[in-house]
Amino acid sequence: MMIFKRIILGGCLIGASFFVACQSNAEEPSSEANQAQTSEAESDANQEDEKSLEVNEPSELALLMRSMYDKNLALKQDIKAGKIPESFPEDFLNIHTAQANENLNETFDALAKEYIANMEAITQAKTTEEGVKAYNAMVNTCASCHTIYCQGPLAKIRRMKIKDFESEL
Ligand code: HEC
């Protein structure tokens, strides 16, 4: 019985020390500085980011967010290669219903709609330039919502942008 209790207690302590993904990145150097860095520095920074993903009991929304992050990074590569997707993963629509760790309100709903609209806009792009523009607009919506709700991943989200094309747009 004692041992059993200890296991449960241990589990709780581990859980408590990991559940701060929304805050844990907040101390990162300013995103402006990050944006100016080379892609070499980018990969260093990405390693740091891995730590913030080690959360013990993520919410449905947090899991969805991780998958959006991964899939949209893959999308970034496609778009840079001139491949415009015909659709986006349907499970992204769960942003409207997924259960979160914090209380969300109408502002969240409005921004979630905007995010989905921006995902759709990417599929409408006719050229690589339009694709890049639409992709960056989508990342901006991730960032707008994250300035309000969950600032930890903000720097990492800003680094998702396609920068190489920006001067031409
Ligand atoms: C409409 C608001 C909104 C939009 C848009 C949004 N997020 Fe989030 N995101 C949240 C909230 C709220 C959480 C916290 C969820 C929780 O802890 O339950 C979160 C959590 C996260 C996390 C942390 C997950 C974890 O491990 O705990 C990451 C990473 C993330 N979002 C990335 C993204 C990316 C990438 C995009 C765009 C592709 C995006 N988010 C778009 C609101 C948003």
Side-chain angles (χ1 to χ4, degrees):
M1 193 56 193
M2 256 335 268
I3 292 170
F4 198 60
K5 265 192 193 154
R6 234 181 263 164
I7 290 169
I8 291 173
L9 182 65
C12 289
L13 289 176
I14 290 167
S17 63
F18 279 125
F19 82 101
V20 286
C22 283
Q23 281 85 42
S24 63
N25 256 358
E27 311 265 284
E28 257 193 297
S30 90
S31 56
E32 300 334 304
N34 278 330
Q35 273 175 358
Q37 283 165 359
T38 60
S39 55
E40 208 179 305
E42 222 170 81
S43 65
D44 279 354
N46 279 339
Q47 277 177 347
E48 265 171 49
D49 290 336
E50 296 301 324
K51 284 180 215 154
S52 70
L53 292 180
E54 291 171 11
V55 182
N56 217 24
E57 287 177 49
S59 66
E60 269 173 35
L61 187 62
L63 287 175
L64 174 63
M65 291 284 161
R66 292 179 198 183
S67 129
M68 290 188 335
Y69 177 73
D70 291 341
K71 288 177 185 166
N72 283 336
L73 275 187
L75 177 65
K76 175 181 182 176
Q77 296 314 317
D78 283 352
I79 288 179
K80 282 172 84 170
K83 282 185 263 168
I84 307 291
E86 281 172 18
S87 62
F88 62 91
E90 243 175 59
D91 66 326
F92 286 10
L93 295 172
N94 295 339
I95 190 171
H96 295 303
T97 50
Q99 208 211 316
N101 277 333
E102 50 188 306
N103 286 327
L104 305 172
N105 59 16
E106 313 82 54
T107 311
F108 176 90
D109 294 337
L111 287 167
K113 262 194 197 142
E114 203 180 311
Y115 167 69
I116 295 297
N118 280 337
M119 287 303 310
E120 251 152 33
I122 295 172
T123 67
Q124 305 301 313
K126 304 263 179 321
T127 62
T128 304
E129 278 68 26
E130 280 179 22
V132 169
K133 232 178 179 168
Y135 173 87
N136 282 343
M138 176 276 290
V139 176
N140 277 338
T141 326
C142 305
S144 332
C145 196
H146 275 266
T147 56
I148 305 174
Y149 287 101
C150 170
Q151 289 163 15
L154 203 46
K156 169 168 125 166
I157 287 172
R158 292 203 171 118
R159 285 196 297 273
M160 291 170 74
K161 282 208 184 180
I162 300 174
K163 291 169 196 103
D164 327 358
F165 287 77
E166 249 165 28
S167 53
E168 298 154 37
L169 296 173

